[in-house]
Amino acid sequence: MDNCKPCGGAIPLCMVSEFDLPLDLVDRKVRKMKMISPSNVAVDIGRTLAPHEYIGMVRREVLDAYLRSRAQDAGAEVVNGLFLRYEAPKEPNGSYVVHYNHYDSSNGKVGGEKRSLEVDAIVGADGANSRVAKDMGAGDYEYAIAFQERVKIPDDKMAYYEERAEMYVGDDVSPDFYGWVFPKCDHVAVGTGTVTHKADIKKFQAATRLRAKDKIEGGRIIRVEAHPIPEHPRPKRVAGRVTLVGDAAGYVTKCSGEGIYFAAKSGRMCAEAIVAGSTNGTRMVEESDMRKYLAEFDRLYWPTYKVLDILQKVFYRSNAAREAFVEMCADDYVQKMTFDSYLYKRVVPGNPLDDIKLAVNTIGSLVRATALRREMDKVTL
């Protein structure tokens, strides 16, 4: 039961209230962020936040255990097992048969005991390497590898990260993602990710540690973690009365790599669609009921995924573009739009005049960064 997704742990403010999460689950409230460019130009972000606003930092092993326990208290039957495969019903309203390995320390079987369970519907919430998705023929997706080390650093250095997170961009830390230092309860998480150069992930991790060296010096690595991160939704997310949510469906945003909120939200929306479609369990749910959840999820969040996809393609393609991105982040309007979109999970409509100014400034930043890169290339040659 402790096999939770290791990397990540940043939750938006709206998730705390929307899912009634107790505040003691939040280890750190990040109100300051430092964005650091390839040339180590640092921009402080967070001055547009209201006093009550923050990004919550949690440990997945703690958050997941709480949510699982709460579901059990509400009546869910929790089974410690490994999904193997399912059999589709032979009759239109017949049951699916789920085959799984049941783990119980009392039976003494190391590999688990093979069992089966009849169900009306299956919701695959089993992560990026979803066996449910594979069994239903959901198709593949491109994925990133996230690598993270939890580092216990001296108290005086930990004080710096009390409510601060850092993001590093540059070809040295990742050719298509970013490196990070996120505060946890009594330690920091130092990590990076990549889609295109997975074999070099440890080299990028070493570069991330080097960039943050002065602030984590004297630290001791207490845990090493790695996990795949989907880059886009799967081609197929429903088949009959089988559907996918969270990472299994591919609900992780580009540019930021965030997926916790979308996993929780898609799970709730799917459950609500099943309850409504089955009329509170009085009729058999149908594929059309599952598709209502997909249509509503896409309607709400497709713009967010599209905007972040465009940002990644524009600003993560070269060091010059990353320099422009960091320079752009110094603008108060950019900070407010970014935080409002992240904290409340909506694409915020901007002020037309400010949008025009932002477009002009963005082009100017890109031009300056490109010119600088050309001059640096001359020096290097």
Short mmCIF file of all heavy atoms in Angstrom, two decimals, residues 117-143:
data_model
loop_
_atom_site.label_atom_id
_atom_site.label_comp_id
_atom_site.label_asym_id
_atom_site.label_seq_id
_atom_site.Cartn_x
_atom_site.Cartn_y
_atom_site.Cartn_z
N LEU A 117 -12.66 -10.96 -9.05
CA LEU A 117 -13.74 -10.15 -8.49
C LEU A 117 -14.66 -9.73 -9.63
O LEU A 117 -14.20 -9.26 -10.67
CB LEU A 117 -13.16 -8.93 -7.79
CG LEU A 117 -14.13 -7.95 -7.12
CD1 LEU A 117 -14.80 -8.60 -5.92
CD2 LEU A 117 -13.39 -6.68 -6.71
N GLU A 118 -15.98 -9.89 -9.45
CA GLU A 118 -16.95 -9.45 -10.45
C GLU A 118 -17.37 -8.02 -10.15
O GLU A 118 -17.71 -7.68 -9.01
CB GLU A 118 -18.17 -10.37 -10.45
CG GLU A 118 -17.88 -11.77 -10.99
CD GLU A 118 -19.14 -12.58 -11.21
OE1 GLU A 118 -20.26 -12.04 -10.95
OE2 GLU A 118 -19.03 -13.74 -11.65
N VAL A 119 -17.36 -7.18 -11.19
CA VAL A 119 -17.69 -5.76 -11.02
C VAL A 119 -18.53 -5.28 -12.20
O VAL A 119 -18.53 -5.90 -13.27
CB VAL A 119 -16.42 -4.89 -10.90
CG1 VAL A 119 -15.60 -5.27 -9.69
CG2 VAL A 119 -15.57 -5.00 -12.16
N ASP A 120 -19.24 -4.17 -11.98
CA ASP A 120 -20.05 -3.58 -13.06
C ASP A 120 -19.21 -2.69 -13.97
O ASP A 120 -19.50 -2.57 -15.16
CB ASP A 120 -21.18 -2.74 -12.46
CG ASP A 120 -22.23 -3.59 -11.76
OD1 ASP A 120 -22.33 -4.80 -12.08
OD2 ASP A 120 -22.95 -3.07 -10.89
N ALA A 121 -18.21 -2.01 -13.42
CA ALA A 121 -17.38 -1.07 -14.19
C ALA A 121 -15.97 -1.07 -13.63
O ALA A 121 -15.75 -1.44 -12.47
CB ALA A 121 -17.97 0.32 -14.15
N ILE A 122 -15.03 -0.66 -14.45
CA ILE A 122 -13.62 -0.60 -14.03
C ILE A 122 -13.10 0.80 -14.31
O ILE A 122 -13.24 1.32 -15.41
CB ILE A 122 -12.77 -1.64 -14.80
CG1 ILE A 122 -13.26 -3.06 -14.51
CG2 ILE A 122 -11.29 -1.50 -14.42
CD1 ILE A 122 -12.58 -4.12 -15.37
N VAL A 123 -12.49 1.40 -13.30
CA VAL A 123 -11.84 2.70 -13.46
C VAL A 123 -10.35 2.49 -13.23
O VAL A 123 -9.92 2.18 -12.12
CB VAL A 123 -12.39 3.74 -12.45
CG1 VAL A 123 -11.65 5.07 -12.62
CG2 VAL A 123 -13.88 3.92 -12.64
N GLY A 124 -9.55 2.63 -14.28
CA GLY A 124 -8.11 2.45 -14.18
C GLY A 124 -7.46 3.71 -13.64
O GLY A 124 -7.38 4.73 -14.34
N ALA A 125 -7.02 3.65 -12.38
CA ALA A 125 -6.32 4.77 -11.75
C ALA A 125 -4.94 4.29 -11.32
O ALA A 125 -4.44 4.67 -10.26
CB ALA A 125 -7.11 5.29 -10.56
N ASP A 126 -4.35 3.43 -12.15
CA ASP A 126 -3.12 2.73 -11.76
C ASP A 126 -1.86 3.30 -12.40
O ASP A 126 -0.90 2.59 -12.66
CB ASP A 126 -3.23 1.23 -12.05
CG ASP A 126 -3.72 0.90 -13.45
OD1 ASP A 126 -4.33 1.78 -14.09
OD2 ASP A 126 -3.51 -0.23 -13.91
N GLY A 127 -1.85 4.62 -12.62
CA GLY A 127 -0.62 5.32 -12.95
C GLY A 127 -0.17 5.24 -14.40
O GLY A 127 -0.84 4.68 -15.26
N ALA A 128 1.01 5.82 -14.64
CA ALA A 128 1.52 5.96 -16.00
C ALA A 128 1.76 4.62 -16.68
O ALA A 128 1.62 4.50 -17.89
CB ALA A 128 2.82 6.77 -15.97
N ASN A 129 2.11 3.58 -15.89
CA ASN A 129 2.32 2.24 -16.46
C ASN A 129 1.07 1.38 -16.30
O ASN A 129 1.15 0.19 -16.04
CB ASN A 129 3.51 1.57 -15.76
CG ASN A 129 4.82 2.27 -16.07
OD1 ASN A 129 5.03 2.74 -17.18
ND2 ASN A 129 5.70 2.36 -15.08
N SER A 130 -0.08 1.98 -16.48
CA SER A 130 -1.37 1.36 -16.22
C SER A 130 -1.56 0.01 -16.92
O SER A 130 -1.47 -0.09 -18.15
CB SER A 130 -2.50 2.30 -16.65
OG SER A 130 -3.75 1.66 -16.60
N ARG A 131 -1.83 -1.01 -16.12
CA ARG A 131 -2.16 -2.33 -16.68
C ARG A 131 -3.58 -2.34 -17.22
O ARG A 131 -3.87 -3.07 -18.17
CB ARG A 131 -1.99 -3.40 -15.60
CG ARG A 131 -0.55 -3.60 -15.15
CD ARG A 131 -0.43 -4.81 -14.25
NE ARG A 131 0.97 -5.05 -13.89
CZ ARG A 131 1.45 -6.25 -13.54
NH1 ARG A 131 0.63 -7.29 -13.50
NH2 ARG A 131 2.71 -6.40 -13.23
N VAL A 132 -4.45 -1.56 -16.62
CA VAL A 132 -5.81 -1.46 -17.13
C VAL A 132 -5.80 -0.87 -18.53
O VAL A 132 -6.47 -1.37 -19.44
CB VAL A 132 -6.70 -0.62 -16.19
CG1 VAL A 132 -8.09 -0.43 -16.79
CG2 VAL A 132 -6.81 -1.27 -14.83
N ALA A 133 -5.02 0.19 -18.73
CA ALA A 133 -4.91 0.82 -20.05
C ALA A 133 -4.39 -0.16 -21.09
O ALA A 133 -4.88 -0.21 -22.23
CB ALA A 133 -4.00 2.05 -19.97
N LYS A 134 -3.39 -0.94 -20.70
CA LYS A 134 -2.82 -1.92 -21.62
C LYS A 134 -3.86 -2.97 -21.99
O LYS A 134 -4.00 -3.36 -23.15
CB LYS A 134 -1.60 -2.58 -20.99
CG LYS A 134 -0.90 -3.58 -21.90
CD LYS A 134 0.35 -4.15 -21.24
CE LYS A 134 1.05 -5.14 -22.18
NZ LYS A 134 2.26 -5.72 -21.53
N ASP A 135 -4.62 -3.43 -21.00
CA ASP A 135 -5.61 -4.48 -21.22
C ASP A 135 -6.76 -4.00 -22.11
O ASP A 135 -7.32 -4.77 -22.88
CB ASP A 135 -6.16 -4.96 -19.87
CG ASP A 135 -6.33 -6.48 -19.81
OD1 ASP A 135 -5.59 -7.18 -20.54
OD2 ASP A 135 -7.17 -6.96 -19.05
N MET A 136 -7.12 -2.72 -22.01
CA MET A 136 -8.23 -2.19 -22.80
C MET A 136 -7.78 -1.66 -24.16
O MET A 136 -8.61 -1.21 -24.95
CB MET A 136 -8.95 -1.07 -22.03
CG MET A 136 -8.14 0.20 -21.84
SD MET A 136 -9.05 1.48 -20.91
CE MET A 136 -10.02 2.21 -22.23
N GLY A 137 -6.46 -1.74 -24.44
CA GLY A 137 -5.95 -1.27 -25.72
C GLY A 137 -6.02 0.22 -25.86
O GLY A 137 -6.41 0.76 -26.91
N ALA A 138 -5.65 0.95 -24.79
CA ALA A 138 -5.77 2.41 -24.78
C ALA A 138 -4.73 3.11 -25.63
O ALA A 138 -4.84 4.30 -25.90
CB ALA A 138 -5.69 2.92 -23.34
N GLY A 139 -3.68 2.40 -26.05
CA GLY A 139 -2.63 3.01 -26.85
C GLY A 139 -1.54 3.62 -26.00
O GLY A 139 -1.71 3.82 -24.79
N ASP A 140 -0.42 3.90 -26.62
CA ASP A 140 0.73 4.43 -25.90
C ASP A 140 0.74 5.96 -25.92
O ASP A 140 0.02 6.60 -26.69
CB ASP A 140 2.03 3.92 -26.52
CG ASP A 140 2.18 2.42 -26.35
OD1 ASP A 140 1.73 1.91 -25.31
OD2 ASP A 140 2.73 1.77 -27.25
N TYR A 141 1.61 6.53 -25.07
CA TYR A 141 1.85 7.96 -25.13
C TYR A 141 3.33 8.23 -24.85
O TYR A 141 4.04 7.39 -24.32
CB TYR A 141 0.97 8.75 -24.16
CG TYR A 141 0.88 8.23 -22.73
CD1 TYR A 141 1.93 7.56 -22.12
CD2 TYR A 141 -0.27 8.44 -21.99
CE1 TYR A 141 1.85 7.12 -20.82
CE2 TYR A 141 -0.38 8.00 -20.68
CZ TYR A 141 0.69 7.34 -20.11
OH TYR A 141 0.61 6.89 -18.82
N GLU A 142 3.77 9.40 -25.28
CA GLU A 142 5.14 9.80 -24.97
C GLU A 142 5.19 10.16 -23.49
O GLU A 142 4.21 10.64 -22.92
CB GLU A 142 5.53 11.02 -25.82
CG GLU A 142 6.99 11.43 -25.69
CD GLU A 142 7.96 10.32 -26.09
OE1 GLU A 142 8.23 10.19 -27.28
OE2 GLU A 142 8.42 9.61 -25.17
N TYR A 143 6.32 9.88 -22.87
CA TYR A 143 6.41 10.16 -21.44
C TYR A 143 7.79 10.72 -21.09
O TYR A 143 8.77 10.51 -21.80
CB TYR A 143 6.14 8.88 -20.63
CG TYR A 143 7.19 7.80 -20.81
CD1 TYR A 143 8.27 7.69 -19.94
CD2 TYR A 143 7.09 6.90 -21.86
CE1 TYR A 143 9.24 6.71 -20.11
CE2 TYR A 143 8.05 5.91 -22.05
CZ TYR A 143 9.12 5.83 -21.16
OH TYR A 143 10.08 4.87 -21.35
#
